[in-house]
Amino acid sequence: MIVIASPLKRDFMIDLVDGYKIDDFEFKYVKSEGMNLYFECTNPDIEKAIRHVKDRVKGSELGRTLYFTVTQK
């Protein structure tokens, strides 16, 4: 499971990552707890999945201005 911690624009993050498919990775939103957003990934390579999510957020229109972290749960 992957956790995105973001104090702002959590709905934006959910919309951006939920259903995102790249290579053999697909991300699905599971739940929110405070500022943490939990996502499941179909591929067990968590390090690569984290890199894909970071690249996706940083490449978005708000990505360069948002403070966020992506970690493994």
Side-chain angles (χ1 to χ4, degrees), residues 23-25 27 43 45-53:
D23 299 331
D24 57 343
F25 293 85
F27 301 92
N43 191 309
D45 187 354
I46 294 296
E47 294 300 318
K48 197 169 185 181
I50 288 171
R51 174 58 36 210
H52 283 312
V53 170

Side-chain angles (χ1 to χ4, degrees), residues 32-64:
S32 296
E33 287 182 356
M35 67 179 200
N36 294 327
L37 307 171
Y38 293 83
F39 293 87
E40 289 182 341
C41 181
T42 58
N43 191 309
D45 187 354
I46 294 296
E47 294 300 318
K48 197 169 185 181
I50 288 171
R51 174 58 36 210
H52 283 312
V53 170
K54 285 182 180 179
D55 291 345
R56 173 82 168 163
V57 174
K58 287 180 182 178
S60 69
E61 67 269 11
L62 297 176
R64 292 181 176 243

Side-chain angles (χ1 to χ4, degrees), residues 2 4 10-21 26-29 37-40 49 52-54 56-57 70:
I2 293 173
I4 301 175
R10 287 183 295 281
D11 289 337
F12 171 78
M13 295 281 193
I14 293 169
D15 291 342
L16 190 66
V17 178
D18 186 35
Y20 177 54
K21 296 177 187 177
E26 183 175 356
F27 301 92
K28 293 187 182 192
Y29 172 72
L37 307 171
Y38 293 83
F39 293 87
E40 289 182 341
H52 283 312
V53 170
K54 285 182 180 179
R56 173 82 168 163
V57 174
V70 182

